[in-house]
Amino acid sequence: WDTTEGAWTRSGVSNVMAIRKDTTVNGSVRSQVTYHDATTGGGVIPAGQAFWVRTFNASPALSIHEKAKVDTAASVTPQPAARQIIVSLRQGNVTDAAYILFTDESTDGYDPLFDGRKLRNYGMFNLSTLTADTVALAINSVTRAFCSKTIALNIADATPGSYTLAISNLESFPDIGTITLTDHFTGTSTTVSDAEYNFTVTHDPASHGRSRFALTFEKDQLDINTPKLTGGDVCAPGPGS
């Protein structure tokens, strides 16, 4: 599932494809959805595997061509890390992820071509991010034209217990200077680095859901007196303006 020329023909179909996988853990069925964005590549649909795409006009079309086939046993040339920030929620050996992309074409609202709506997992918790118009997304593509931007996290179906949040692949967006995780339940803010954030969900509804966590992204501001970076990497106005 990618944008290789001649592999797929899409019209009125989202960039995002989803696959649901059912497993049995300790006698309980767990059903989890994974997501792939055509623009970041890397999504392989096994032979015979059902997959989901979302359409957004009256006459959508999706065609698969011979060039879309891949030999999963063949050696593959390593590809650069996709330009997306990965937010992961973990409890024990169970993890659910949400993805944030910054592009020139996207908006901060729901974009049916670029965004992937969150499909519910069963038998486990669910992590998503929220658009400016409060749509829950697994893949959230937002505009890269900003000085400061806040994106809310949504934690659903989380039973009381200990959890960990991790934010990774930060190096794919070097123009973002600072990322802050705000925990409204505890009233604390943490600068995001490689360290993970441990927290507890209780029976209090405010300890999970749509209102507990938010990520704030801030670009470096341009200091016109002693510039160290190019203007395209930073946000103006800054000190000295």
Side-chain angles (χ1 to χ4, degrees), residues 75-81:
S75 59
V76 178
T77 303
Q79 299 297 314

Side-chain angles (χ1 to χ4, degrees), residues 21-32:
K21 182 178 180 180
D22 295 341
T23 56
T24 301
V25 180
N26 297 327
S28 300
V29 175
R30 178 187 302 154
S31 181
Q32 185 172 15

